[in-house]
Amino acid sequence: MNHGFETRTLAVTTGSSETVHDLTRECAAFLAEVARGRDGLLNVFAPHATTGIALIETGAGSDDDLLSALHHLLPADERWQHRHGSPGHGRDHVLPALVPPHATLPVIDGELALGTWQSVCLVDTNVDNPHRQVRLSFLG
């Protein structure tokens, strides 16, 4: 077993509507298993052209506010040159430029060092593909 680098791929079903899917529990469970009290870094990566990873408060409306802001910045209409899929799908391909498909986070004593209200979330506006993967990698 390599004690310096551990990785796992999560299967995430986001459904048929735009979503902010909280991954914090899955990240914590992964670290509990592999970090074993060590300090290091957790990289969270979504290998998709239409998703992002965000650190955001969930459950108090901020997740819905993020989706609303993305609708304002990236309307689902016919302005996009990338035109396959659902109407306005081209916007989904611009999303990762605004919400990057990765985040690297500190791990201290084997636990994710997030702020009080921060959650690690997969942002998915692509309603055409409900099956996603998220790769968790711990370096420590």
PDB file of all heavy atoms in Angstrom, residues 21-62:
ATOM      1  N   HIS A  21     -24.437  19.240  -5.488  1.00  0.00           N
ATOM      2  CA  HIS A  21     -24.432  17.973  -4.742  1.00  0.00           C
ATOM      3  C   HIS A  21     -23.306  17.991  -3.714  1.00  0.00           C
ATOM      4  O   HIS A  21     -22.131  18.063  -4.073  1.00  0.00           O
ATOM      5  CB  HIS A  21     -24.255  16.823  -5.732  1.00  0.00           C
ATOM      6  CG  HIS A  21     -24.285  15.474  -5.100  1.00  0.00           C
ATOM      7  ND1 HIS A  21     -25.453  14.777  -4.913  1.00  0.00           N
ATOM      8  CD2 HIS A  21     -23.290  14.700  -4.601  1.00  0.00           C
ATOM      9  CE1 HIS A  21     -25.183  13.623  -4.330  1.00  0.00           C
ATOM     10  NE2 HIS A  21     -23.874  13.562  -4.130  1.00  0.00           N
ATOM     11  N   ASP A  22     -23.664  17.905  -2.438  1.00  0.00           N
ATOM     12  CA  ASP A  22     -22.684  17.969  -1.347  1.00  0.00           C
ATOM     13  C   ASP A  22     -21.873  16.678  -1.275  1.00  0.00           C
ATOM     14  O   ASP A  22     -22.425  15.586  -1.163  1.00  0.00           O
ATOM     15  CB  ASP A  22     -23.407  18.215  -0.032  1.00  0.00           C
ATOM     16  CG  ASP A  22     -22.481  18.624   1.101  1.00  0.00           C
ATOM     17  OD1 ASP A  22     -21.274  18.336   1.038  1.00  0.00           O
ATOM     18  OD2 ASP A  22     -22.984  19.242   2.055  1.00  0.00           O
ATOM     19  N   LEU A  23     -20.551  16.810  -1.355  1.00  0.00           N
ATOM     20  CA  LEU A  23     -19.626  15.675  -1.299  1.00  0.00           C
ATOM     21  C   LEU A  23     -18.840  15.626   0.011  1.00  0.00           C
ATOM     22  O   LEU A  23     -17.957  14.784   0.166  1.00  0.00           O
ATOM     23  CB  LEU A  23     -18.608  15.783  -2.443  1.00  0.00           C
ATOM     24  CG  LEU A  23     -19.145  15.770  -3.863  1.00  0.00           C
ATOM     25  CD1 LEU A  23     -18.048  16.183  -4.838  1.00  0.00           C
ATOM     26  CD2 LEU A  23     -19.681  14.398  -4.205  1.00  0.00           C
ATOM     27  N   THR A  24     -19.144  16.498   0.945  1.00  0.00           N
ATOM     28  CA  THR A  24     -18.319  16.641   2.154  1.00  0.00           C
ATOM     29  C   THR A  24     -18.243  15.339   2.945  1.00  0.00           C
ATOM     30  O   THR A  24     -17.155  14.954   3.396  1.00  0.00           O
ATOM     31  CB  THR A  24     -18.857  17.782   3.035  1.00  0.00           C
ATOM     32  OG1 THR A  24     -19.016  18.951   2.221  1.00  0.00           O
ATOM     33  CG2 THR A  24     -17.895  18.088   4.167  1.00  0.00           C
ATOM     34  N   ARG A  25     -19.351  14.651   3.119  1.00  0.00           N
ATOM     35  CA  ARG A  25     -19.334  13.387   3.881  1.00  0.00           C
ATOM     36  C   ARG A  25     -18.464  12.339   3.206  1.00  0.00           C
ATOM     37  O   ARG A  25     -17.722  11.617   3.867  1.00  0.00           O
ATOM     38  CB  ARG A  25     -20.756  12.852   4.054  1.00  0.00           C
ATOM     39  CG  ARG A  25     -21.544  13.580   5.098  1.00  0.00           C
ATOM     40  CD  ARG A  25     -22.867  12.877   5.387  1.00  0.00           C
ATOM     41  NE  ARG A  25     -23.703  13.742   6.184  1.00  0.00           N
ATOM     42  CZ  ARG A  25     -24.952  14.051   5.902  1.00  0.00           C
ATOM     43  NH1 ARG A  25     -25.534  13.544   4.833  1.00  0.00           N
ATOM     44  NH2 ARG A  25     -25.637  14.854   6.678  1.00  0.00           N
ATOM     45  N   GLU A  26     -18.581  12.250   1.876  1.00  0.00           N
ATOM     46  CA  GLU A  26     -17.775  11.279   1.131  1.00  0.00           C
ATOM     47  C   GLU A  26     -16.290  11.612   1.249  1.00  0.00           C
ATOM     48  O   GLU A  26     -15.460  10.712   1.385  1.00  0.00           O
ATOM     49  CB  GLU A  26     -18.193  11.223  -0.338  1.00  0.00           C
ATOM     50  CG  GLU A  26     -19.557  10.602  -0.562  1.00  0.00           C
ATOM     51  CD  GLU A  26     -20.689  11.623  -0.613  1.00  0.00           C
ATOM     52  OE1 GLU A  26     -20.568  12.718  -0.008  1.00  0.00           O
ATOM     53  OE2 GLU A  26     -21.710  11.313  -1.245  1.00  0.00           O
ATOM     54  N   CYS A  27     -15.960  12.910   1.214  1.00  0.00           N
ATOM     55  CA  CYS A  27     -14.560  13.324   1.375  1.00  0.00           C
ATOM     56  C   CYS A  27     -14.050  12.960   2.769  1.00  0.00           C
ATOM     57  O   CYS A  27     -12.942  12.434   2.914  1.00  0.00           O
ATOM     58  CB  CYS A  27     -14.416  14.832   1.147  1.00  0.00           C
ATOM     59  SG  CYS A  27     -14.679  15.362  -0.559  1.00  0.00           S
ATOM     60  N   ALA A  28     -14.863  13.235   3.790  1.00  0.00           N
ATOM     61  CA  ALA A  28     -14.468  12.924   5.168  1.00  0.00           C
ATOM     62  C   ALA A  28     -14.295  11.424   5.371  1.00  0.00           C
ATOM     63  O   ALA A  28     -13.350  10.974   6.030  1.00  0.00           O
ATOM     64  CB  ALA A  28     -15.495  13.490   6.148  1.00  0.00           C
ATOM     65  N   ALA A  29     -15.203  10.623   4.807  1.00  0.00           N
ATOM     66  CA  ALA A  29     -15.104   9.163   4.936  1.00  0.00           C
ATOM     67  C   ALA A  29     -13.844   8.643   4.251  1.00  0.00           C
ATOM     68  O   ALA A  29     -13.151   7.762   4.779  1.00  0.00           O
ATOM     69  CB  ALA A  29     -16.346   8.494   4.359  1.00  0.00           C
ATOM     70  N   PHE A  30     -13.540   9.168   3.078  1.00  0.00           N
ATOM     71  CA  PHE A  30     -12.322   8.777   2.360  1.00  0.00           C
ATOM     72  C   PHE A  30     -11.088   9.096   3.195  1.00  0.00           C
ATOM     73  O   PHE A  30     -10.203   8.256   3.366  1.00  0.00           O
ATOM     74  CB  PHE A  30     -12.276   9.506   1.007  1.00  0.00           C
ATOM     75  CG  PHE A  30     -10.991   9.352   0.256  1.00  0.00           C
ATOM     76  CD1 PHE A  30     -10.621   8.125  -0.275  1.00  0.00           C
ATOM     77  CD2 PHE A  30     -10.155  10.438   0.059  1.00  0.00           C
ATOM     78  CE1 PHE A  30      -9.429   7.983  -0.991  1.00  0.00           C
ATOM     79  CE2 PHE A  30      -8.972  10.309  -0.652  1.00  0.00           C
ATOM     80  CZ  PHE A  30      -8.606   9.075  -1.172  1.00  0.00           C
ATOM     81  N   LEU A  31     -11.036  10.296   3.760  1.00  0.00           N
ATOM     82  CA  LEU A  31      -9.875  10.688   4.571  1.00  0.00           C
ATOM     83  C   LEU A  31      -9.772   9.855   5.842  1.00  0.00           C
ATOM     84  O   LEU A  31      -8.663   9.506   6.263  1.00  0.00           O
ATOM     85  CB  LEU A  31      -9.937  12.177   4.903  1.00  0.00           C
ATOM     86  CG  LEU A  31      -9.711  13.106   3.712  1.00  0.00           C
ATOM     87  CD1 LEU A  31      -9.985  14.548   4.112  1.00  0.00           C
ATOM     88  CD2 LEU A  31      -8.302  12.948   3.154  1.00  0.00           C
ATOM     89  N   ALA A  32     -10.888   9.523   6.459  1.00  0.00           N
ATOM     90  CA  ALA A  32     -10.864   8.689   7.664  1.00  0.00           C
ATOM     91  C   ALA A  32     -10.220   7.343   7.365  1.00  0.00           C
ATOM     92  O   ALA A  32      -9.521   6.768   8.205  1.00  0.00           O
ATOM     93  CB  ALA A  32     -12.276   8.508   8.202  1.00  0.00           C
ATOM     94  N   GLU A  33     -10.427   6.864   6.154  1.00  0.00           N
ATOM     95  CA  GLU A  33      -9.885   5.569   5.768  1.00  0.00           C
ATOM     96  C   GLU A  33      -8.413   5.641   5.362  1.00  0.00           C
ATOM     97  O   GLU A  33      -7.628   4.762   5.708  1.00  0.00           O
ATOM     98  CB  GLU A  33     -10.705   5.018   4.599  1.00  0.00           C
ATOM     99  CG  GLU A  33     -10.291   3.638   4.156  1.00  0.00           C
ATOM    100  CD  GLU A  33     -11.146   3.157   2.995  1.00  0.00           C
ATOM    101  OE1 GLU A  33     -12.348   3.481   2.948  1.00  0.00           O
ATOM    102  OE2 GLU A  33     -10.596   2.450   2.130  1.00  0.00           O
ATOM    103  N   VAL A  34      -8.025   6.679   4.628  1.00  0.00           N
ATOM    104  CA  VAL A  34      -6.687   6.679   4.022  1.00  0.00           C
ATOM    105  C   VAL A  34      -5.674   7.617   4.667  1.00  0.00           C
ATOM    106  O   VAL A  34      -4.474   7.364   4.595  1.00  0.00           O
ATOM    107  CB  VAL A  34      -6.748   6.973   2.498  1.00  0.00           C
ATOM    108  CG1 VAL A  34      -7.626   5.956   1.794  1.00  0.00           C
ATOM    109  CG2 VAL A  34      -7.176   8.387   2.209  1.00  0.00           C
ATOM    110  N   ALA A  35      -6.116   8.702   5.291  1.00  0.00           N
ATOM    111  CA  ALA A  35      -5.154   9.686   5.818  1.00  0.00           C
ATOM    112  C   ALA A  35      -4.519   9.219   7.119  1.00  0.00           C
ATOM    113  O   ALA A  35      -3.383   9.583   7.422  1.00  0.00           O
ATOM    114  CB  ALA A  35      -5.834  11.044   6.005  1.00  0.00           C
ATOM    115  N   ARG A  36      -5.272   8.467   7.903  1.00  0.00           N
ATOM    116  CA  ARG A  36      -4.762   7.905   9.149  1.00  0.00           C
ATOM    117  C   ARG A  36      -4.035   8.938  10.020  1.00  0.00           C
ATOM    118  O   ARG A  36      -2.920   8.722  10.458  1.00  0.00           O
ATOM    119  CB  ARG A  36      -3.875   6.705   8.858  1.00  0.00           C
ATOM    120  CG  ARG A  36      -4.635   5.561   8.167  1.00  0.00           C
ATOM    121  CD  ARG A  36      -3.825   4.325   7.964  1.00  0.00           C
ATOM    122  NE  ARG A  36      -3.064   4.139   6.747  1.00  0.00           N
ATOM    123  CZ  ARG A  36      -3.473   4.285   5.489  1.00  0.00           C
ATOM    124  NH1 ARG A  36      -4.676   4.730   5.232  1.00  0.00           N
ATOM    125  NH2 ARG A  36      -2.690   4.016   4.470  1.00  0.00           N
ATOM    126  N   GLY A  37      -4.683  10.074  10.239  1.00  0.00           N
ATOM    127  CA  GLY A  37      -4.139  11.092  11.138  1.00  0.00           C
ATOM    128  C   GLY A  37      -3.056  11.977  10.556  1.00  0.00           C
ATOM    129  O   GLY A  37      -2.514  12.826  11.257  1.00  0.00           O
ATOM    130  N   ARG A  38      -2.740  11.793   9.285  1.00  0.00           N
ATOM    131  CA  ARG A  38      -1.654  12.572   8.668  1.00  0.00           C
ATOM    132  C   ARG A  38      -2.143  13.905   8.121  1.00  0.00           C
ATOM    133  O   ARG A  38      -3.307  14.065   7.781  1.00  0.00           O
ATOM    134  CB  ARG A  38      -1.015  11.778   7.522  1.00  0.00           C
ATOM    135  CG  ARG A  38      -0.279  10.542   7.996  1.00  0.00           C
ATOM    136  CD  ARG A  38       0.271   9.755   6.831  1.00  0.00           C
ATOM    137  NE  ARG A  38      -0.848   9.131   6.118  1.00  0.00           N
ATOM    138  CZ  ARG A  38      -0.814   8.715   4.867  1.00  0.00           C
ATOM    139  NH1 ARG A  38       0.274   8.869   4.147  1.00  0.00           N
ATOM    140  NH2 ARG A  38      -1.858   8.143   4.311  1.00  0.00           N
ATOM    141  N   ASP A  39      -1.218  14.832   8.002  1.00  0.00           N
ATOM    142  CA  ASP A  39      -1.463  16.085   7.301  1.00  0.00           C
ATOM    143  C   ASP A  39      -1.213  15.854   5.817  1.00  0.00           C
ATOM    144  O   ASP A  39      -0.445  14.974   5.432  1.00  0.00           O
ATOM    145  CB  ASP A  39      -0.510  17.182   7.779  1.00  0.00           C
ATOM    146  CG  ASP A  39      -0.755  17.608   9.219  1.00  0.00           C
ATOM    147  OD1 ASP A  39      -1.777  17.195   9.809  1.00  0.00           O
ATOM    148  OD2 ASP A  39       0.068  18.376   9.744  1.00  0.00           O
ATOM    149  N   GLY A  40      -1.847  16.649   4.990  1.00  0.00           N
ATOM    150  CA  GLY A  40      -1.634  16.535   3.554  1.00  0.00           C
ATOM    151  C   GLY A  40      -2.610  17.392   2.785  1.00  0.00           C
ATOM    152  O   GLY A  40      -3.119  18.401   3.292  1.00  0.00           O
ATOM    153  N   LEU A  41      -2.889  16.956   1.560  1.00  0.00           N
ATOM    154  CA  LEU A  41      -3.807  17.664   0.676  1.00  0.00           C
ATOM    155  C   LEU A  41      -4.811  16.681   0.085  1.00  0.00           C
ATOM    156  O   LEU A  41      -4.448  15.566  -0.277  1.00  0.00           O
ATOM    157  CB  LEU A  41      -3.052  18.341  -0.467  1.00  0.00           C
ATOM    158  CG  LEU A  41      -2.085  19.443  -0.088  1.00  0.00           C
ATOM    159  CD1 LEU A  41      -1.253  19.855  -1.294  1.00  0.00           C
ATOM    160  CD2 LEU A  41      -2.837  20.640   0.486  1.00  0.00           C
ATOM    161  N   LEU A  42      -6.052  17.129  -0.027  1.00  0.00           N
ATOM    162  CA  LEU A  42      -7.073  16.373  -0.726  1.00  0.00           C
ATOM    163  C   LEU A  42      -7.379  17.114  -2.013  1.00  0.00           C
ATOM    164  O   LEU A  42      -7.737  18.291  -1.984  1.00  0.00           O
ATOM    165  CB  LEU A  42      -8.357  16.249   0.107  1.00  0.00           C
ATOM    166  CG  LEU A  42      -9.526  15.576  -0.622  1.00  0.00           C
ATOM    167  CD1 LEU A  42      -9.237  14.094  -0.865  1.00  0.00           C
ATOM    168  CD2 LEU A  42     -10.818  15.759   0.155  1.00  0.00           C
ATOM    169  N   ASN A  43      -7.242  16.418  -3.137  1.00  0.00           N
ATOM    170  CA  ASN A  43      -7.654  16.973  -4.404  1.00  0.00           C
ATOM    171  C   ASN A  43      -8.973  16.326  -4.789  1.00  0.00           C
ATOM    172  O   ASN A  43      -9.115  15.109  -4.723  1.00  0.00           O
ATOM    173  CB  ASN A  43      -6.599  16.739  -5.493  1.00  0.00           C
ATOM    174  CG  ASN A  43      -7.027  17.355  -6.806  1.00  0.00           C
ATOM    175  OD1 ASN A  43      -7.587  16.681  -7.664  1.00  0.00           O
ATOM    176  ND2 ASN A  43      -6.789  18.643  -6.948  1.00  0.00           N
ATOM    177  N   VAL A  44      -9.939  17.157  -5.167  1.00  0.00           N
ATOM    178  CA  VAL A  44     -11.250  16.703  -5.606  1.00  0.00           C
ATOM    179  C   VAL A  44     -11.366  17.120  -7.067  1.00  0.00           C
ATOM    180  O   VAL A  44     -11.239  18.306  -7.382  1.00  0.00           O
ATOM    181  CB  VAL A  44     -12.378  17.346  -4.762  1.00  0.00           C
ATOM    182  CG1 VAL A  44     -13.737  16.832  -5.189  1.00  0.00           C
ATOM    183  CG2 VAL A  44     -12.142  17.103  -3.279  1.00  0.00           C
ATOM    184  N   PHE A  45     -11.579  16.160  -7.957  1.00  0.00           N
ATOM    185  CA  PHE A  45     -11.566  16.440  -9.391  1.00  0.00           C
ATOM    186  C   PHE A  45     -12.742  15.759 -10.076  1.00  0.00           C
ATOM    187  O   PHE A  45     -13.001  14.574  -9.858  1.00  0.00           O
ATOM    188  CB  PHE A  45     -10.263  15.938 -10.010  1.00  0.00           C
ATOM    189  CG  PHE A  45     -10.199  16.081 -11.504  1.00  0.00           C
ATOM    190  CD1 PHE A  45     -10.119  17.328 -12.091  1.00  0.00           C
ATOM    191  CD2 PHE A  45     -10.243  14.966 -12.313  1.00  0.00           C
ATOM    192  CE1 PHE A  45     -10.072  17.462 -13.474  1.00  0.00           C
ATOM    193  CE2 PHE A  45     -10.196  15.084 -13.704  1.00  0.00           C
ATOM    194  CZ  PHE A  45     -10.116  16.346 -14.277  1.00  0.00           C
ATOM    195  N   ALA A  46     -13.462  16.518 -10.895  1.00  0.00           N
ATOM    196  CA  ALA A  46     -14.569  15.973 -11.688  1.00  0.00           C
ATOM    197  C   ALA A  46     -14.114  15.906 -13.143  1.00  0.00           C
ATOM    198  O   ALA A  46     -13.934  16.945 -13.770  1.00  0.00           O
ATOM    199  CB  ALA A  46     -15.802  16.860 -11.549  1.00  0.00           C
ATOM    200  N   PRO A  47     -13.913  14.697 -13.681  1.00  0.00           N
ATOM    201  CA  PRO A  47     -13.403  14.554 -15.046  1.00  0.00           C
ATOM    202  C   PRO A  47     -14.512  14.681 -16.103  1.00  0.00           C
ATOM    203  O   PRO A  47     -14.770  13.758 -16.875  1.00  0.00           O
ATOM    204  CB  PRO A  47     -12.788  13.148 -15.037  1.00  0.00           C
ATOM    205  CG  PRO A  47     -13.645  12.393 -14.073  1.00  0.00           C
ATOM    206  CD  PRO A  47     -14.023  13.400 -13.005  1.00  0.00           C
ATOM    207  N   HIS A  48     -15.183  15.827 -16.079  1.00  0.00           N
ATOM    208  CA  HIS A  48     -16.290  16.068 -17.008  1.00  0.00           C
ATOM    209  C   HIS A  48     -16.164  17.486 -17.565  1.00  0.00           C
ATOM    210  O   HIS A  48     -15.727  18.397 -16.864  1.00  0.00           O
ATOM    211  CB  HIS A  48     -17.642  15.917 -16.304  1.00  0.00           C
ATOM    212  CG  HIS A  48     -17.863  14.561 -15.728  1.00  0.00           C
ATOM    213  ND1 HIS A  48     -18.163  13.463 -16.513  1.00  0.00           N
ATOM    214  CD2 HIS A  48     -17.800  14.118 -14.451  1.00  0.00           C
ATOM    215  CE1 HIS A  48     -18.294  12.400 -15.729  1.00  0.00           C
ATOM    216  NE2 HIS A  48     -18.068  12.774 -14.479  1.00  0.00           N
ATOM    217  N   ALA A  49     -16.597  17.682 -18.792  1.00  0.00           N
ATOM    218  CA  ALA A  49     -16.521  18.991 -19.456  1.00  0.00           C
ATOM    219  C   ALA A  49     -17.648  19.934 -19.041  1.00  0.00           C
ATOM    220  O   ALA A  49     -17.675  21.076 -19.475  1.00  0.00           O
ATOM    221  CB  ALA A  49     -16.542  18.802 -20.971  1.00  0.00           C
ATOM    222  N   THR A  50     -18.553  19.455 -18.182  1.00  0.00           N
ATOM    223  CA  THR A  50     -19.733  20.267 -17.850  1.00  0.00           C
ATOM    224  C   THR A  50     -20.042  20.295 -16.353  1.00  0.00           C
ATOM    225  O   THR A  50     -21.190  20.505 -15.961  1.00  0.00           O
ATOM    226  CB  THR A  50     -20.972  19.760 -18.618  1.00  0.00           C
ATOM    227  OG1 THR A  50     -21.198  18.392 -18.281  1.00  0.00           O
ATOM    228  CG2 THR A  50     -20.800  19.896 -20.120  1.00  0.00           C
ATOM    229  N   THR A  51     -19.047  20.071 -15.508  1.00  0.00           N
ATOM    230  CA  THR A  51     -19.268  20.145 -14.059  1.00  0.00           C
ATOM    231  C   THR A  51     -18.175  20.972 -13.411  1.00  0.00           C
ATOM    232  O   THR A  51     -17.127  21.231 -14.003  1.00  0.00           O
ATOM    233  CB  THR A  51     -19.268  18.750 -13.397  1.00  0.00           C
ATOM    234  OG1 THR A  51     -17.991  18.151 -13.584  1.00  0.00           O
ATOM    235  CG2 THR A  51     -20.344  17.858 -13.955  1.00  0.00           C
ATOM    236  N   GLY A  52     -18.413  21.351 -12.173  1.00  0.00           N
ATOM    237  CA  GLY A  52     -17.414  22.075 -11.393  1.00  0.00           C
ATOM    238  C   GLY A  52     -17.437  21.609  -9.955  1.00  0.00           C
ATOM    239  O   GLY A  52     -18.360  20.905  -9.522  1.00  0.00           O
ATOM    240  N   ILE A  53     -16.401  22.000  -9.222  1.00  0.00           N
ATOM    241  CA  ILE A  53     -16.309  21.730  -7.789  1.00  0.00           C
ATOM    242  C   ILE A  53     -16.303  23.083  -7.079  1.00  0.00           C
ATOM    243  O   ILE A  53     -15.495  23.953  -7.409  1.00  0.00           O
ATOM    244  CB  ILE A  53     -15.017  20.948  -7.434  1.00  0.00           C
ATOM    245  CG1 ILE A  53     -14.968  19.603  -8.166  1.00  0.00           C
ATOM    246  CG2 ILE A  53     -14.893  20.774  -5.923  1.00  0.00           C
ATOM    247  CD1 ILE A  53     -16.031  18.598  -7.759  1.00  0.00           C
ATOM    248  N   ALA A  54     -17.203  23.255  -6.135  1.00  0.00           N
ATOM    249  CA  ALA A  54     -17.304  24.527  -5.414  1.00  0.00           C
ATOM    250  C   ALA A  54     -17.236  24.286  -3.912  1.00  0.00           C
ATOM    251  O   ALA A  54     -17.708  23.265  -3.415  1.00  0.00           O
ATOM    252  CB  ALA A  54     -18.618  25.226  -5.759  1.00  0.00           C
ATOM    253  N   LEU A  55     -16.663  25.242  -3.209  1.00  0.00           N
ATOM    254  CA  LEU A  55     -16.730  25.286  -1.749  1.00  0.00           C
ATOM    255  C   LEU A  55     -17.788  26.314  -1.411  1.00  0.00           C
ATOM    256  O   LEU A  55     -17.624  27.500  -1.711  1.00  0.00           O
ATOM    257  CB  LEU A  55     -15.391  25.696  -1.134  1.00  0.00           C
ATOM    258  CG  LEU A  55     -14.238  24.741  -1.355  1.00  0.00           C
ATOM    259  CD1 LEU A  55     -12.984  25.272  -0.674  1.00  0.00           C
ATOM    260  CD2 LEU A  55     -14.566  23.362  -0.837  1.00  0.00           C
ATOM    261  N   ILE A  56     -18.881  25.861  -0.841  1.00  0.00           N
ATOM    262  CA  ILE A  56     -20.015  26.750  -0.619  1.00  0.00           C
ATOM    263  C   ILE A  56     -20.821  26.253   0.567  1.00  0.00           C
ATOM    264  O   ILE A  56     -20.822  25.060   0.876  1.00  0.00           O
ATOM    265  CB  ILE A  56     -20.886  26.821  -1.907  1.00  0.00           C
ATOM    266  CG1 ILE A  56     -21.932  27.920  -1.803  1.00  0.00           C
ATOM    267  CG2 ILE A  56     -21.472  25.476  -2.253  1.00  0.00           C
ATOM    268  CD1 ILE A  56     -22.621  28.223  -3.128  1.00  0.00           C
ATOM    269  N   GLU A  57     -21.509  27.164   1.226  1.00  0.00           N
ATOM    270  CA  GLU A  57     -22.442  26.787   2.281  1.00  0.00           C
ATOM    271  C   GLU A  57     -23.655  26.130   1.636  1.00  0.00           C
ATOM    272  O   GLU A  57     -24.153  26.590   0.612  1.00  0.00           O
ATOM    273  CB  GLU A  57     -22.874  28.035   3.058  1.00  0.00           C
ATOM    274  CG  GLU A  57     -23.853  27.753   4.162  1.00  0.00           C
ATOM    275  CD  GLU A  57     -24.270  29.010   4.913  1.00  0.00           C
ATOM    276  OE1 GLU A  57     -23.887  30.123   4.500  1.00  0.00           O
ATOM    277  OE2 GLU A  57     -24.980  28.862   5.913  1.00  0.00           O
ATOM    278  N   THR A  58     -24.115  25.043   2.219  1.00  0.00           N
ATOM    279  CA  THR A  58     -25.308  24.369   1.700  1.00  0.00           C
ATOM    280  C   THR A  58     -26.404  24.387   2.752  1.00  0.00           C
ATOM    281  O   THR A  58     -26.142  24.552   3.939  1.00  0.00           O
ATOM    282  CB  THR A  58     -25.009  22.914   1.302  1.00  0.00           C
ATOM    283  OG1 THR A  58     -24.535  22.210   2.452  1.00  0.00           O
ATOM    284  CG2 THR A  58     -23.986  22.834   0.185  1.00  0.00           C
ATOM    285  N   GLY A  59     -27.639  24.218   2.311  1.00  0.00           N
ATOM    286  CA  GLY A  59     -28.760  24.090   3.231  1.00  0.00           C
ATOM    287  C   GLY A  59     -29.340  25.398   3.726  1.00  0.00           C
ATOM    288  O   GLY A  59     -30.383  25.401   4.368  1.00  0.00           O
ATOM    289  N   ALA A  60     -28.698  26.528   3.418  1.00  0.00           N
ATOM    290  CA  ALA A  60     -29.225  27.821   3.856  1.00  0.00           C
ATOM    291  C   ALA A  60     -29.618  28.683   2.659  1.00  0.00           C
ATOM    292  O   ALA A  60     -29.827  29.875   2.796  1.00  0.00           O
ATOM    293  CB  ALA A  60     -28.196  28.545   4.714  1.00  0.00           C
ATOM    294  N   GLY A  61     -29.679  28.062   1.481  1.00  0.00           N
ATOM    295  CA  GLY A  61     -30.080  28.789   0.289  1.00  0.00           C
ATOM    296  C   GLY A  61     -28.946  29.164  -0.636  1.00  0.00           C
ATOM    297  O   GLY A  61     -29.180  29.535  -1.786  1.00  0.00           O
ATOM    298  N   SER A  62     -27.700  29.081  -0.168  1.00  0.00           N
ATOM    299  CA  SER A  62     -26.575  29.480  -1.013  1.00  0.00           C
ATOM    300  C   SER A  62     -26.405  28.564  -2.215  1.00  0.00           C
ATOM    301  O   SER A  62     -25.986  29.019  -3.285  1.00  0.00           O
ATOM    302  CB  SER A  62     -25.276  29.502  -0.202  1.00  0.00           C
ATOM    303  OG  SER A  62     -25.347  30.478   0.802  1.00  0.00           O
TER     304      SER A  62
END
